[in-house]
Amino acid sequence: MKTLFEFENVCYRYPGHKQLALRNVNVCFPEGEKIAVVGRNGAGKSTLFLHCNGLYRPLCGRVSFRGRPLAYDRASLKKLRQQVGMIFQNPDSQLFSASVAQDISFGPLNLGLSEAEARRRVLEAAEICEITHLLDRPTHSLSGGEKTRVALAGVLAMQPEVLVADEPLASLDPWMRLTFFDILQRFYDRGKTILMATHNLSVVRYWASYVIVLQEGQVVFSGTPKALLTNRTVLEQTELSRVWWKVDPGFDEDEEERVLVSTPSSAESTDGEGKSFQFSADGDWSI
Amino acid sequence: MQLIERYAYTNRLRTVPPDHKAAVALLVLLLCLALDRPAVSIACIAWMFLLVVPVAGVPARTFGRVLVVEGGFILMTIPGILISIGPSAPSDSTAWSWPLGPLWISTSAATLWQGIALVMRALGCAAAMNFLALTTPLVDIIELLRRWHIPSVLIDIMTVTYRSIFVLLESANTMYIAQDSRLGYLTSRMRAIHNAALLASRLFVEAYRRGKELQIALESRGFNGDLRVLPMTYRFSPLFTVLGAVIMANLVLLWAMA
């Protein structure tokens, strides 16, 4: 398993805050995986993500990308940010331009591409994200789901190696989620890595191939979903065992014991790559 | 504002190059100012009506409403021109005057005509600007300024301001609903004013937060101090160009004949 990002003893504190947002984080993000990052509100998911793009600089410790420690000079950051695309919780904070096509063209032009090449990238990204019909529309007239896809297109147009998505599902209805996951799958199928912060435990169970659990600024678990489901200590420490069965219809409390001890078929399917996913009517994942 | 926006994006002149539309609007504006005849002013309004309503396909009602609002503001300035107040009766015998305590209020047929001519002229200019506003979205105008080599700092500020208007409008609306649903505006007038002030101050904090978020999002996409985006493509319209030329010729002719 190749390591994409490596965090070594990373601490971060927001200016004016007493508490550390990240406390000695040690974690590796494997390359070519679908990585879900879970944790309660304020656990440090967004802070962790903003370090991946060099937007935040650790107070102590260091972050490495593909074995090299991040450098924070202009040229290195430019290169890093081409390879690591980010989409944020609120798509409104990401879209600055009044026109959809122009907004998507922003990243490619910053990479120094020619206008013709940028135009090609815009069209390509729009096609992947199924927003070709929106290219001429003003940004402010879009719905939440459309805005999310435009934000995604703006990132994909830069042809990144990694996609870092911070709770992208919040503004999407179940149908749109399906489309969104299709787009992600296409990206993943080309050998790229996806990092997604999510509160949706079904996504962790059925979509992710790797999970990182954050608690109060520390990484308390990293491994496959199967390993998480069989790790009683972590499940109880993070109280995931208390909530999981309530929000995940497939997670049966009576079954928990068996889930924890053995590996029933549902847990096994978590590492089943290339399987097709389906939505049940309530918008949760099932296989 | 939202209404103007909608037609700016959906009208039939949307794909005409913004340079051409801006040229027509600005020339009409200049001619209307320079050729000071009521006939020219009226012709300006009529021509702009023709361009906006039958040609661009914007409803006559919208054209009329925008012009009426502007007319209201123009009328507010008219009393100052029509009426003069002085310590003695005017020497001009054709003027009408009334005593008001120690002062005299007076007006005359000449100033009345002057006032009407002025209103028409202002409306003619307003109509020319309305034509541009109703047929050209701000995105195109920004694009135009870029082509005219306006400093990019100004254009970037315009872009972000324009986008922020809608983001803040939405936040303000959400906050207003949140206050309203908890009876924020239904108890006393004083409370309502207080709550509106709260909303305004929160909106300031919100604007600041949004600004920071935007900065981070732009940086993550390789922002290097210049908001570069792709230029738009437009279609040359011979009909519009001919019509523009006819309008200019007509205005000059009207002025020469009067």
Side-chain angles (χ1 to χ4, degrees):
Chain A
M1 197 154 64
K2 260 167 80 184
T3 301
L4 189 67
F5 284 107
E6 187 177 5
F7 283 66
E8 289 166 276
N9 282 316
V10 172
C11 303
Y12 187 79
R13 191 205 323 260
Y14 282 93
H17 284 229
K18 270 191 188 152
Q19 269 191 320
L20 287 171
L22 294 181
R23 298 188 293 153
N24 288 319
V25 167
N26 281 297
V27 70
C28 289
F29 292 86
E31 187 159 1
E33 304 277 337
K34 295 186 270 195
I35 306 168
V37 177
V38 281
R40 302 177 68 155
N41 294 326
K45 302 186 293 294
S46 304
T47 318
L48 190 74
F49 279 5
L50 290 169
H51 278 85
C52 293
N53 211 340
L55 290 160
Y56 285 178
R57 227 180 140 150
L59 205 64
C60 64
R62 66 175 187 186
V63 182
S64 310
F65 179 65
R66 288 185 166 155
R68 286 217 194 115
L70 294 192
Y72 294 87
D73 58 284
R74 262 182 115 78
S76 315
L77 283 179
K78 191 177 165 188
K79 216 173 145 198
L80 176 72
R81 286 170 186 169
Q82 186 266 311
Q83 291 172 299
V84 184
M86 293 201 80
I87 56 173
F88 295 86
Q89 270 172 23
N90 182 356
D92 259 325
S93 64
Q94 183 158 5
L95 306 173
F96 73 92
S97 177
S99 136
V100 170
Q102 290 191 330
D103 200 284
I104 301 172
S105 73
F106 176 68
L109 286 174
N110 282 339
L111 295 178
L113 299 176
S114 68
E115 278 183 9
E117 173 66 9
R119 204 175 288 281
R120 210 184 54 71
R121 292 265 189 111
V122 169
L123 287 176
E124 190 190 56
E127 207 160 297
I128 294 171
C129 298
E130 299 171 25
I131 50 162
T132 312
H133 60 293
L134 300 175
L135 283 176
D136 283 330
R137 289 263 299 276
T139 317
H140 59 79
S141 73
L142 306 179
S143 72
E146 289 168 340
K147 278 180 185 163
T148 304
R149 281 183 295 158
V150 171
L152 184 61
V155 171
L156 292 186
M158 295 174 79
Q159 300 190 340
E161 289 297 309
V162 194
L163 184 70
V164 180
D166 195 351
E167 281 174 55
L169 304 176
S171 57
L172 303 177
D173 63 43
W175 296 271
M176 204 50 91
R177 281 180 195 192
L178 191 64
T179 314
F180 186 77
F181 275 105
D182 278 345
I183 298 166
L184 291 189
Q185 188 64 37
R186 265 171 258 161
F187 182 74
Y188 171 77
D189 285 341
R190 282 186 283 167
K192 315 277 173 110
T193 312
I194 305 170
L195 259 69
M196 190 199 291
T198 183
H199 288 310
N200 191 329
L201 295 174
S202 308
V203 168
V204 176
R205 202 160 160 220
Y206 299 117
W207 174 79
S209 59
Y210 200 83
V211 195
I212 285 165
V213 184
L214 274 169
Q215 190 178 29
E216 290 167 14
Q218 282 180 309
V219 171
V220 292
F221 175 86
S222 63
T224 61
K226 194 162 98 182
L228 176 62
L229 281 164
T230 49
N231 189 330
R232 176 161 230 159
T233 330
V234 169
L235 285 177
E236 277 175 4
Q237 183 198 341
T238 55
E239 298 187 50
L240 274 170
S241 54
R242 183 163 70 85
V243 291
W244 203 317
W245 68 273
K246 284 189 181 167
V247 292
D248 179 358
F251 193 96
D252 188 346
E253 194 185 18
D254 299 331
E255 228 181 300
E256 193 183 337
E257 207 58 33
R258 279 196 286 127
V259 169
L260 293 171
V261 181
S262 65
T263 47
S265 59
S266 57
E268 218 155 54
S269 59
T270 50
D271 52 6
E273 280 172 41
K275 281 194 179 162
S276 62
F277 299 106
Q278 285 180 337
F279 263 112
S280 57
D282 58 2
D284 275 306
W285 289 99
S286 55
I287 290 182
Chain B
M1 180 175 174
Q2 306 269 39
L3 199 74
I4 297 176
E5 267 287 306
R6 199 169 78 220
Y7 289 118
Y9 275 101
T10 55
N11 73 84
R12 286 198 288 263
L13 290 177
R14 169 76 165 88
T15 55
V16 172
D19 325 46
H20 298 190
K21 287 187 279 192
V24 166
L26 290 178
L27 278 173
V28 169
L29 180 86
L30 279 177
L31 288 178
C32 188
L33 281 174
L35 314 178
D36 186 11
R37 296 274 188 283
V40 173
S41 307
I42 291 168
C44 283
I45 300 173
W47 278 120
M48 292 302 106
F49 178 85
L50 183 91
L51 282 185
V52 172
V53 182
V55 177
V58 176
R61 247 179 70 116
T62 308
F63 180 83
R65 261 169 67 183
V66 177
L67 206 59
V68 163
V69 171
E70 287 158 347
F73 283 103
I74 295 166
L75 281 179
M76 274 194 268
T77 63
I78 287 306
I81 294 161
L82 283 186
I83 298 162
S84 45
I85 300 173
S88 57
S91 51
D92 183 3
S93 57
T94 59
W96 305 295
S97 57
W98 304 269
L100 181 86
L103 300 170
W104 284 85
I105 297 176
S106 60
T107 182
S108 69
T111 51
L112 200 68
W113 272 115
Q114 200 192 346
I116 290 171
L118 202 66
V119 169
M120 296 317 292
R121 206 165 140 209
L123 280 178
C125 294
M129 285 291 106
N130 292 351
F131 154 69
L132 191 65
L134 283 165
T135 58
T136 318
L138 204 83
V139 192
D140 290 8
I141 293 178
I142 289 173
E143 185 62 37
L144 181 70
L145 297 177
R146 210 184 291 276
R147 278 200 233 167
W148 287 353
H149 300 287
I150 304 291
S152 64
V153 179
L154 291 179
I155 295 173
D156 293 350
I157 291 174
M158 261 183 94
T159 308
V160 175
T161 309
Y162 175 69
R163 170 84 185 108
S164 304
I165 288 171
F166 292 96
V167 170
L168 282 182
L169 262 182
E170 217 176 282
S171 319
N173 192 37
T174 314
M175 285 186 220
Y176 177 83
I177 290 171
Q179 287 182 328
D180 202 23
S181 72
R182 288 183 286 162
L183 310 181
Y185 294 97
L186 293 173
T187 44
S188 70
R189 176 79 38 102
M190 276 315 289
R191 286 300 303 166
I193 292 171
H194 174 77
N195 289 335
L198 267 181
L199 192 150
S201 64
R202 275 297 311 163
L203 204 58
F204 184 76
V205 178
E206 178 75 6
Y208 181 75
R209 191 181 65 80
R210 294 274 189 163
K212 259 182 126 171
E213 277 181 9
L214 183 67
Q215 169 87 26
I216 286 182
L218 289 183
E219 275 184 28
S220 82
R221 287 206 275 161
F223 178 55
N224 47 21
D226 197 11
L227 292 175
R228 261 192 79 206
V229 291
L230 276 179
M232 304 239 185
T233 46
Y234 304 97
R235 272 198 300 279
F236 172 72
S237 159
L239 176 78
F240 183 80
T241 313
V242 170
L243 209 55
V246 168
I247 292 171
M248 303 312 150
N250 174 267
L251 292 181
V252 174
L253 223 73
L254 269 176
W255 174 76
M257 276 166 27

